[in-house]
Amino acid sequence: MRVLMRGNEAMAEGAIRAGCRCYFCYPITPQGELVEYMARHLPRHGGVFLQAESEVAAINMVYGAAAAGVRTMTSSSSPGISLKMEGISYLAGARLPAVIVNVMRAGPGLGNIAPAQGDYFQATKGGGHGDYRLIVLAPSTVQEAAELVMLAFDLSDRYRVPAMILADGMLGQMMEPVELPEPIPPEKIPPRPWAVSGAKGRPPNVISSFDLDPYRFREILRALWDTYREIEEKEVRWEEYATEDAELVLVAYGTMGRICRTVVRRARKEGLRVGLFRPISLWPFPSEPLRKLAERVPVLLTVELSAGQMWEDVRLAVEGRAKTPFYGELGGVVPTPDEVLREVKKHVHS
Amino acid sequence: MEIGVIFAGFGGQGILLAGKVLARAGMDQGFEVTWLPSYGPEMRGGTANCTVVIADEPVGSPIVDSPQILVAMNGPSFERFAPKVAPKGTIVANSSLISQGASRGDVRTLFIPMNEIAQDLGEPRCANMVALGATVKALGLLPLAAVIAAMEEELGARGREKLLAVNREALLRGYSLA
């Protein structure tokens, strides 16, 4: 049965259905409905909802719950995510599975609460300190928001790497019909023999993000980076739309990705051969499929609600095989389909 | 088929609710829909608008450049959005609060005294449902019964039959005037 839900609510419901039983937050717009939904529904499922005294406290509670072996999540919006970055780096270093939702607003600084995609660098290339990666998934519809949160829990568990959902204010606020996926039964959640869950009858486990001996620490990080290489091989996700005969392909994710779908339809109506390449996993970035596309499509136009962050990954993937122009908006301004179409027409002719 | 409807007015007029009822009715009738609110640090009396898209395939952009239908509940929203309405589109205008005349010859403008009608019905807050009734008629896509059902679901007012009855009546009045 389809239900009409906000993106924020669908992400919360997805987390509950994925077996998240500890959620810690500090409220911030535009993800307030996620917090409200968790407050209302998580306790009914036997979970813990806790509004912490700060973002820093919330992410460290996530660290604690994850170490104890519980599926756990926190959510925030851009400046709040910045505050969580130290804790996220610790999660990555300690190999703890957890899900972090960022409903992006426009920045830097306090910025405003309008939709933007300026946290791409922060999400995919560090953000916190040290040599680590996050699995980063970018939903484009409310349906996908629910599904990708559930996937984020599974991937995070499988690889013991924290996962981030990179959404934005528009996806968080809008409503769309959702067919909610079946809940994951508790027995399907992977066992956690590494968790600090009480050492009665077994040697104690230690969860730690550091080793003072550089040679031993190097081995820990080598193992971590072997895992990242495996994720890059197995977990790349993307969608292509009308790319078969395209002369220009739009590269866009999240909210901008779905707006570009409308752009493709309008362009096609006018006889312009335009397609869409929509990365779903931002890390690992779908470099290989994009490179293949660049061998037959002369122009790949990246469109972002930023000054051009994913654009760097597009150019790295394409390595000069195609033209890679950029169109972006700043400050929370969202271009309409017609505005993007005007930009398309600068690069392609009927 | 993809139809964009913008509801606009001031905070407290039930703009977001009217849009939500339309989106829900569209979903219940098997269409793809999106509902996108303007969100911001608004207060009662500030501006409010929302965009509903109803389509027979998955909706791409929830933002609409030029809506087929504009529901303008006050003067400022009429001025702001009327120029954007698609040619041959419809403007459902609340003449109780809009003193301007029809500004365009290429769209149909329906002036309806929504506040007075709501007053007549004894519930000033149901002007939004008068607007929605007129919108549903202009849209010609969804049966009024489906919209009434969606309104009842959205208000979720079990045991508040009086409230539902007045909102039903408001939808009917709006529908009959378009």
Side-chain angles (χ1 to χ4, degrees):
Chain A
M1 190 191 81
R2 298 197 307 169
V3 287
L4 195 61
M5 277 184 129
R6 282 191 199 244
N8 283 332
E9 295 169 336
M11 288 189 278
E13 181 59 35
I16 293 171
R17 285 174 184 243
C20 173
R21 289 298 175 266
C22 282
Y23 169 81
F24 308 102
C25 66
Y26 189 78
I28 184 170
T29 307
Q31 57 88 61
E33 297 81 7
L34 204 166
V35 177
E36 287 168 17
Y37 195 95
M38 284 306 233
R40 200 173 306 128
H41 295 273
L42 189 54
R44 287 186 205 157
H45 295 268
V48 172
F49 167 90
L50 202 153
Q51 182 173 318
E53 68 270 34
S54 73
E55 284 87 350
V56 176
I59 193 69
N60 283 291
M61 289 172 184
V62 165
Y63 187 102
V70 180
R71 279 197 162 180
T72 178
M73 182 168 96
T74 187
S75 64
S76 191
S77 177
S78 309
I81 294 290
S82 292
L83 287 166
K84 291 181 196 287
M85 273 299 159
E86 182 201 34
I88 292 171
S89 171
Y90 274 61
L91 285 165
R95 307 278 322 240
L96 289 173
V99 174
I100 303 117
V101 175
N102 181 2
V103 183
M104 287 184 282
R105 45 153 87 189
L110 186 60
N112 63 36
I113 58 176
Q117 297 179 321
D119 302 351
Y120 179 93
F121 284 156
Q122 185 195 50
T124 63
K125 301 189 190 289
H129 58 283
D131 251 336
Y132 80 93
R133 292 287 196 181
L134 297 176
I135 295 165
V136 183
L137 305 174
S140 178
T141 64
V142 176
Q143 178 73 40
E144 210 176 35
E147 289 170 0
L148 289 185
V149 166
M150 296 182 77
L151 178 66
F153 275 100
D154 283 346
L155 294 180
S156 184
D157 267 8
R158 191 175 310 153
Y159 296 103
R160 291 185 61 188
V161 166
M164 179 175 275
I165 298 293
L166 200 62
D168 62 71
M170 182 171 292
L171 187 64
Q173 294 295 321
M174 66 181 281
M175 292 182 113
E176 218 172 12
V178 186
E179 187 82 54
L180 287 164
E182 285 299 309
I184 299 171
E187 64 273 16
K188 287 278 174 62
I189 293 173
R192 291 152 147 76
W194 44 263
V196 285
S197 51
K200 216 173 198 176
R202 63 159 171 79
N205 286 332
V206 177
I207 302 272
S208 167
S209 70
F210 75 100
D211 193 314
L212 290 177
D213 180 281
Y215 292 94
R216 279 202 310 262
F217 195 40
R218 179 176 69 182
E219 292 317 303
I220 293 169
L221 292 185
R222 277 181 173 166
L224 181 59
W225 279 84
D226 285 346
T227 302
Y228 293 157
R229 294 287 96 89
E230 189 188 345
I231 295 170
E232 283 178 324
E233 267 173 45
K234 295 181 181 165
E235 306 299 347
V236 171
R237 287 171 168 82
W238 77 97
E239 184 198 20
E240 288 185 40
Y241 175 60
T243 55
E244 303 77 26
D245 63 338
E247 290 176 9
L248 180 148
V249 167
L250 294 156
V251 187
Y253 71 95
T255 278
M256 210 53 243
R258 68 180 298 155
I259 292 173
C260 283
R261 183 178 283 269
T262 297
V263 176
V264 169
R265 285 188 199 135
R266 287 195 193 162
R268 291 268 164 185
K269 260 185 208 155
E270 295 185 24
L272 302 172
R273 302 216 305 251
V274 175
L276 169 66
F277 183 96
R278 182 173 68 86
I280 296 170
S281 59
L282 300 182
W283 195 86
F285 189 73
S287 300
E288 202 50 46
L290 198 57
R291 187 172 302 135
K292 279 189 190 132
L293 200 62
E295 275 160 14
R296 59 185 171 84
V297 179
V299 186
L300 299 175
L301 173 60
T302 305
V303 186
E304 288 179 76
L305 304 175
S306 81
Q309 299 195 8
M310 181 181 71
W311 188 33
E312 291 192 359
D313 285 334
V314 172
R315 285 179 292 166
L316 278 171
V318 169
E319 288 182 312
R321 287 174 177 83
K323 283 186 191 160
T324 50
F326 175 76
Y327 176 62
E329 269 295 2
L330 297 171
V333 175
V334 183
T336 67
D338 281 350
E339 283 165 346
V340 181
L341 188 57
R342 273 199 288 280
E343 194 63 26
V344 165
K345 286 176 180 169
K346 292 181 188 168
H347 302 283
V348 69
H349 308 282
S350 48
Chain B
M1 186 276 293
E2 187 168 284
I3 294 167
V5 183
I6 291 181
F7 293 84
F10 57 74
Q13 280 185 309
I15 298 295
L16 302 185
L17 177 66
K20 235 186 251 184
V21 171
L22 182 66
R24 186 190 273 265
M27 177 182 78
D28 291 345
Q29 291 294 300
F31 291 102
E32 299 295 336
V33 297
T34 57
W35 172 88
L36 177 69
S38 61
Y39 66 94
E42 303 286 6
M43 56 183 182
R44 188 172 292 269
T47 60
N49 69 73
C50 69
T51 304
V52 175
V53 179
I54 305 176
D56 54 9
E57 57 182 340
V59 179
S61 174
I63 305 175
V64 170
D65 299 275
S66 38
Q68 274 78 20
I69 299 181
L70 164 67
V71 182
M73 296 284 285
N74 65 359
S77 43
F78 182 78
E79 269 171 33
R80 178 174 165 200
F81 290 107
K84 294 180 190 260
V85 176
K88 295 182 188 165
T90 305
I91 300 175
V92 179
N94 181 12
S95 56
S96 307
L97 294 174
I98 298 170
S99 49
Q100 301 94 320
S103 54
R104 290 178 54 180
D106 60 341
V107 300
R108 185 168 150 239
T109 305
L110 298 165
F111 288 102
I112 297 174
M114 299 170 190
N115 289 28
E116 279 84 354
I117 293 171
Q119 285 286 2
D120 274 0
L121 296 171
E123 176 48 270
R125 290 177 300 175
C126 71
N128 61 340
M129 291 299 135
V130 178
L132 181 59
T135 305
V136 171
K137 181 76 176 290
L139 194 61
L141 186 70
L142 305 172
L144 185 63
V147 179
I148 289 172
M151 177 273 290
E152 290 176 352
E153 287 258 325
E154 228 12 93
L155 289 179
R158 276 192 210 100
R160 295 167 72 191
E161 183 45 41
K162 212 178 135 197
L163 182 75
L164 296 182
V166 76
N167 277 287
R168 270 196 298 270
E169 188 55 33
L171 280 167
L172 283 165
R173 288 284 290 273
Y175 192 85
S176 67
L177 286 168

